[in-house]
Amino acid sequence: MLNFSSLLIVLALQAATIPPENTPPVEQDIVIVGATKEYRLTAKQLRAAVRAFDKSRPAFAPQSRLWFEVSVAKGGSLEGVELALVNGITRVPLTIGPDRRFIFPVLDGDDWRLVSTKPGVPLRIRPWVVSPGTTINDIRLGDLSVQCRVGWAIARQSTSFIVEGMFDVLGGCSSSRLGIYWDFARPIASATIEEGDKRAPIAILQGNKLRLPTYLKDYTSEARVRIAFQ
């Protein structure tokens, strides 16, 4: 079974000296922390995610929207955290909504970088595909299928040819042997996938984690993953 936890892209800010008070904040590149190396998260990679969304959305989640969800590693606060895209000439602020999500804007060129104005804060940014009626405890299987493809468009930037080949051999996001590993803020009481009269349990991992399916035989994109929290 291929562990696809890389769909959750963990980000850390490059080390920097904290500026003295009354000085403008220093914008820091955001760096994706992988298992073996680090690389900058650029507009090029985010644009690859948007292309994957546009390509897979009609088949699996035609009413969905693509958001990028921001959180602080280990449950820290987002207070004071601001994100922007910069290209050396122009700075485009990204509005983080009350749901901690932002939309990637349409930009020309690939020379944009994603930066933060609060150095030293380890961030997470993950794609979040949402159709109408979808909530954190009621998720369409079709949304997860698209989310898998979006996440892979980013994650493959840092994978080896061997991992990329394994992903293809297993069937990618169209394989039941692959799942999205997701940790939740609250302990989980139960999790199932349901469609019509069909119902199957989803194993709970370590109390607050699930391996969310991206494909299951005999279930369509309209199937729902329903989660009950303790």
Side-chain angles (χ1 to χ4, degrees), residues 22 43-44 67 93 104 118 136 167 179 182 184 219 221:
N22 302 323
K44 182 177 181 179
W67 299 83
F104 182 71
K118 192 171 183 180
I136 193 64
F167 183 84
W182 200 295
F184 294 83
Y219 288 86
S221 293

Side-chain angles (χ1 to χ4, degrees), residues 31-50:
V31 176
I32 297 179
V33 180
T36 58
K37 68 174 184 177
E38 298 179 349
Y39 66 97
R40 287 178 178 83
L41 180 63
T42 65
K44 182 177 181 179
Q45 281 121 13
L46 290 174
R47 189 172 287 113
V50 173

Side-chain angles (χ1 to χ4, degrees), residues 32 220 230:
I32 297 179
T220 74
Q230 294 182 10

Side-chain angles (χ1 to χ4, degrees), residues 13-14 16 19 24-30 82-88 90-93 113-119:
L13 298 176
Q14 290 178 316
V26 178
E27 292 183 334
Q28 298 294 309
D29 284 358
I30 290 179
E82 296 179 1
L83 300 180
L85 289 160
V86 298
N87 67 354
T90 305
R91 183 178 185 275
V92 180
R113 296 178 294 113
L114 182 64
V115 299
S116 171
T117 57
K118 192 171 183 180

Side-chain angles (χ1 to χ4, degrees), residues 149-167:
R149 289 161 172 82
V150 169
W152 176 242
I154 299 175
R156 72 185 306 165
Q157 307 284 338
S158 65
T159 60
S160 66
F161 289 113
I162 295 175
V163 173
E164 191 170 346
M166 288 176 57
F167 183 84

